[in-house]
Amino acid sequence: MSASPVVPHHIAIVMDGNGRWAKRRFLPRLAGHKQGVDSLRRCVRACAERGVGVLTVFAFSSENWNRPADEVSGLMELLALALGREVPQLKKDGVRLHFVGERDSLSPKVRDGLGQAEAATADNTRLVLNVCFNYGGRWDIAQAAASLAARGEPITEASLHSAMGLAHVPDPDLVIRTGGEMRISNFLLWQSAYSEFFFSDRLWPDFDESALDEAIDAFSRRERRFGKTSEQILSAHPDPMPG
């Protein structure tokens, strides 16, 4: 009888491929983003059911402002609609929302929506859902350093980590990127230093429960050494069932 796969506590996902999904169907790019919201809803539910404690997703990067203006405005409208529609169910399902990213450049309406969603789910404990919105890994490191400097605090690995946008959760165990690309695109540069990576050819709207299970299974078969040798890992965690 095979052992159950080891479920990562924190999964992070670059949700890539919405535009290509729409293009293949001769649909506007925004239709792919709408389908991507449905995929995220399934993924949140699946992570909660499998015992994942933290899910972090890359929803809108600081570089995405360079996309066509109609796509950017459509994404902002989609975010507002999704918040109004999804937050009540997330609250009911025990999901706590955090939005990570630079908010000053967002409209007051969007900023208020993010804050209200966080407040509405603040008491939930089943799953933490971090939505990286107007986020970049380099921005995160720079803002953390600037914050420490403004307070006159020394800049060390520990202090930088505590000033990061994801200081409220452990670093991701597994980083997934969909869409067939094999790069991290300025996502969690600091936090993913020792993460396992899984690249899926599926476009994000097609990423379902079976795809998530495939990534978790691949993760569970890897040896995480954190700079140590295999022998050190084995001696620290001997197999309780020899044979």
Side-chain angles (χ1 to χ4, degrees), residues 161-174:
H161 189 83
S162 67
M164 293 280 181
L166 286 171
H168 59 285
V169 294
D171 288 344
D173 303 293
L174 172 64

Side-chain angles (χ1 to χ4, degrees), residues 77-137:
E77 291 178 14
L78 182 59
L79 172 66
L81 289 171
L83 287 174
R85 186 178 64 192
E86 304 294 338
V87 167
Q89 188 62 46
L90 292 173
K91 182 177 180 180
K92 182 179 178 181
D93 292 342
V95 177
R96 180 173 186 177
L97 267 170
H98 282 273
F99 291 93
V100 183
E102 195 274 316
R103 300 194 190 189
D104 290 345
S105 57
L106 302 177
S107 70
K109 179 182 178 181
V110 171
R111 288 200 302 269
D112 290 346
L114 302 187
Q116 290 170 13
E118 289 176 329
T121 60
D123 294 331
N124 290 347
T125 58
R126 186 182 184 194
L127 174 74
V128 175
L129 173 59
N130 298 306
V131 179
C132 292
F133 193 85
N134 198 23
Y135 171 89

